[in-house]
C-alpha cells in the first residue's frame, strides 16, 4: 500500500488537466451485492472514456439551508468510504471521498479518518462544513482540517468552492487562500450554470495569489446536465445560481438535455477565455444529479465535450509558452 495519494503526483503538473466523474453512494437500504452491481454498471458506462478518478459525494438532508421543499426526497446512503473503496478496487482509479463534518466531534472524526485510511484505503478527502449558519456545529471546518493534517496518515485534502458565495460576499478567494493554509491542496466547485460568477471568483483568486506570491491550488470545475424541470428545480435547490435566461432556454427547448449540455459547453469556453492570462491549474468534474438514464448518458457525452475543450485549451497554452522560450 502506498503512503501517498497517486492524485498528488498528477496534481503537480500545471500543464495538464485532471478529469473526474462525480457520483453518489447507493441508498442505505440497498443490499451490498446490489451496491457492487451498481458500481459495475457505473464503471461500464464510463469504460470508453479516459478519466483520472471518481468523486463520491456525502449526501446530507440540508433542509436547514433553504425553506423550499427538496424536489427529490432525501434518503440516506451507504457510507461514502465503502462505496469509494469499491469503486477504487473495481476501476483501479483514485477516488475522492466527500465527508460532511457537521455531525462529528473531534474524536469521532479522527476515528473516521483512521478507519477511512486503514480499512477502506481512502486517501483523497474533501471536507464539507455546515450548509447553514443556523446549524449547531460541534466540529468547525477549520478544526476538521487540522485533525486531518495532524493525522499520521498522509491524506490529500480538498475543499469546496462556491462561486455564488463570492457573488454575494466577494470574499470566496480569501476563503480559498485560508483553506489552503489550513491544509487544502485542491478545490471542487459546485455545479456551474452561471459562468460569470465563476470567472469573477477565479480572476480574483489568481490576482490575489500573484499579489501574495502564492502558488494557486488546483480548481476543479463541476458541470452537470439537466434534462427536466424537476432536475432544474433540484439544481437551484442545491444553491446553484441559474440565470433566468438560461433557465428559460433549457425549459422551453425542444430537447432540454441538449440545451443544457450546449449551455455547459459554452460556459466552460467563456471561463477558459476569461482566465487565459492566468496560470491557474484546472480540472473538470462531470456529474449526473439524478439516476435518470438519459441524464446519466448526457453526463458522459458532456464529459467528452468538455474534456476535449479543456485539453485543447491546455495544449494552446503550452504552444504559447513554447513560442516565448
Amino acid at each position: 500500500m502506498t503512503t501517498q495519494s497517486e492524485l498528488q503526483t498528477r496534481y503537480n503538473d500545471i500543464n495538464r488537466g485532471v478529469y473526474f466523474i462525480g457520483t453518489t453512494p447507493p441508498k442505505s437500504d440497498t443490499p451490498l451485492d446490489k451496491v457492487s452491481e451498481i458500481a459495475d454498471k457505473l464503471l461500464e458506462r464510463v469504460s470508453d472514456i479516459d478519466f483520472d478518478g471518481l468523486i463520491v459525494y456525502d449526501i446530507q438532508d440540508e433542509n436547514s439551508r433553504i425553506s423550499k421543499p427538496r424536489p427529490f426526497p432525501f434518503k440516506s446512503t451507504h457510507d461514502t468510504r465503502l462505496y469509494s473503496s469499491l469503486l477504487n478496487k473495481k476501476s483501479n482509479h483514485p477516488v475522492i471521498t466527500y465527508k460532511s463534518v457537521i455531525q462529528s466531534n473531534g474524536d469521532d472524526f479522527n476515528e473516521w479518518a483512521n478507519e477511512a485510511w486503514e480499512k477502506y484505503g481512502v486517501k483523497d478527502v474533501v471536507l464539507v462544513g455546515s450548509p447553514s449558519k443556523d446549524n449547531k456545529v460541534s466540529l468547525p471546518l477549520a478544526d476538521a482540517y487540522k485533525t486531518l493534517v495532524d493525522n499520521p496518515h498522509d491524506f490529500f485534502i480538498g475543499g469546496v468552492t462556491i462561486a455564488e458565495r463570492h457573488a454575494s460576499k466577494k470574499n470566496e478567494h480569501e476563503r480559498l487562500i485560508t483553506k489552503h493554509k489550513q491544509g487544502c491542496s485542491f478545490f471542487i466547485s459546485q455545479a456551474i450554470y452561471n459562468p460569470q460568477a465563476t470567472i469573477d471568483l477565479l480572476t480574483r483568486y489568481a490576482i490575489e495569489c500573484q499579489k501574495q506570491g502564492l502558488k494557486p491550488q488546483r480548481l476543479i470545475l463541476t458541470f452537470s446536465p439537466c434534462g427536466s424541470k424537476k432536475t432544474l428545480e433540484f439544481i437551484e435547490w442545491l444553491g446553484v445560481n441559474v440565470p433566468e435566461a438560461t433557465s428559460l432556454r433549457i425549459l422551453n427547448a425542444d430537447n432540454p438535455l441538449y440545451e443544457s449540455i450546449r449551455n455547459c459547453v459554452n460556459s466552460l469556453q467563456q471561463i477558459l477565455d476569461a482566465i487565459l492570462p492566468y496560470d491557474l491549474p484546472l480540472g473538470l468534474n462531470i456529474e449526473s444529479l439524478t439516476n435518470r438514464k438519459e441524464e446519466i448518458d448526457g453526463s458522459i457525452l458532456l464529459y467528452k465535450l468538455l474534456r476535449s475543450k479543456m485539453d485543447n485549451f491546455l495544449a494552446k497554452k503550452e504552444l504559447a509558452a513554447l513560442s516565448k522560450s
Side-chain angles (χ1 to χ4, degrees):
M1 192 169 181
T2 56
T3 54
Q4 195 185 47
S5 144
E6 66 177 275
L7 277 180
Q8 254 164 305
T9 48
R10 294 185 194 193
Y11 268 46
N12 289 335
D13 182 358
I14 188 172
N15 292 317
R16 74 177 299 253
V18 285
Y19 302 103
F20 294 94
I21 298 290
T23 189
T24 53
K27 304 288 179 271
S28 51
D29 56 5
T30 311
L32 281 175
D33 57 339
K34 191 91 174 73
V35 171
S36 183
E37 272 176 42
I38 291 168
D40 287 337
K41 198 172 274 185
L42 167 67
L43 294 174
E44 193 182 308
R45 279 200 174 111
V46 297
S47 60
D48 68 332
I49 60 175
D50 181 19
F51 60 96
D52 288 302
L54 296 128
I55 294 172
V56 174
Y57 296 112
D58 187 5
I59 301 297
Q60 300 298 310
D61 192 356
E62 291 192 36
N63 60 4
S64 62
R65 187 180 49 74
I66 188 167
S67 55
K68 273 187 184 173
R70 186 187 175 103
F72 297 103
F74 171 73
K75 283 186 172 171
S76 64
T77 66
H78 275 284
D79 189 328
T80 51
R81 299 170 300 178
L82 170 83
Y83 199 51
S84 291
S85 176
L86 250 184
L87 288 172
N88 173 245
K89 288 189 183 109
K90 287 174 180 289
S91 71
N92 221 7
H93 281 68
V95 181
I96 294 174
T97 305
Y98 269 55
K99 167 64 176 166
S100 168
V101 300
I102 182 172
Q103 281 109 4
S104 309
N105 62 43
D107 291 344
D108 283 352
F109 181 59
N110 207 26
E111 197 177 304
W112 180 93
N114 286 329
E115 206 175 57
W117 187 285
E118 291 158 14
K119 181 176 174 184
Y120 296 102
V122 166
K123 301 187 173 104
D124 310 296
V125 178
V126 165
L127 299 185
V128 183
S130 170
S132 160
K133 58 180 185 307
D134 301 331
N135 284 60
K136 186 175 169 295
V137 176
S138 48
L139 181 66
L141 199 51
D143 294 358
Y145 287 136
K146 187 171 182 339
T147 301
L148 271 197
V149 170
D150 292 346
N151 189 287
H153 302 301
D154 186 14
F155 284 99
F156 190 41
I157 307 166
V160 170
T161 183
I162 300 175
E164 282 81 354
R165 203 156 52 190
H166 187 74
S168 60
K169 296 185 177 167
K170 303 289 182 230
N171 68 348
E172 187 72 4
H173 61 295
E174 291 164 7
R175 292 170 87 117
L176 295 184
I177 289 168
T178 301
K179 284 181 178 181
H180 172 51
K181 289 174 179 167
Q182 290 169 339
C184 283
S185 300
F186 63 96
F187 299 100
I188 301 177
S189 82
Q190 73 173 7
I192 296 168
Y193 267 87
N194 178 352
Q196 191 56 51
T198 298
I199 289 166
D200 291 346
L201 166 60
L202 296 183
T203 306
R204 177 69 72 176
Y205 176 61
I207 289 170
E208 194 58 38
C209 285
Q210 281 176 356
K211 268 191 202 159
Q212 296 190 28
L214 299 169
K215 179 179 169 231
Q217 299 307 298
R218 178 82 61 173
L219 293 141
I220 296 163
L221 308 175
T222 299
F223 291 90
S224 184
C226 164
S228 73
K229 185 170 185 282
K230 193 87 180 271
T231 304
L232 191 65
E233 282 171 9
F234 187 46
I235 286 169
E236 291 180 318
W237 185 88
L238 288 167
V240 174
N241 173 248
V242 184
E244 185 182 7
T246 304
S247 167
L248 289 169
R249 269 203 316 276
I250 291 170
L251 294 179
N252 289 288
D254 292 340
N255 185 327
L257 183 63
Y258 167 82
E259 186 57 40
S260 87
I261 289 173
R262 208 175 69 87
N263 176 78
C264 290
V265 173
N266 289 342
S267 293
L268 178 62
Q269 189 61 59
Q270 284 177 52
I271 293 165
L272 295 178
D273 287 346
I275 62 159
L276 189 61
Y278 309 108
D279 275 336
L280 286 175
L282 297 173
L284 289 172
N285 167 38
I286 314 303
E287 61 182 13
S288 172
L289 287 168
T290 71
N291 54 13
R292 291 174 60 213
K293 184 180 183 305
E294 67 152 353
E295 286 183 340
I296 293 170
D297 290 346
S299 69
I300 306 296
L301 173 59
L302 180 60
Y303 177 93
K304 292 174 182 172
L305 292 164
L306 295 185
R307 166 144 197 179
S308 67
K309 209 167 258 309
M310 181 76 88
D311 280 341
N312 191 27
F313 167 78
L314 292 166
K316 280 181 178 167
K317 278 196 88 156
E318 264 191 280
L319 185 62
L322 185 63
S323 73
K324 289 173 192 159
S325 64

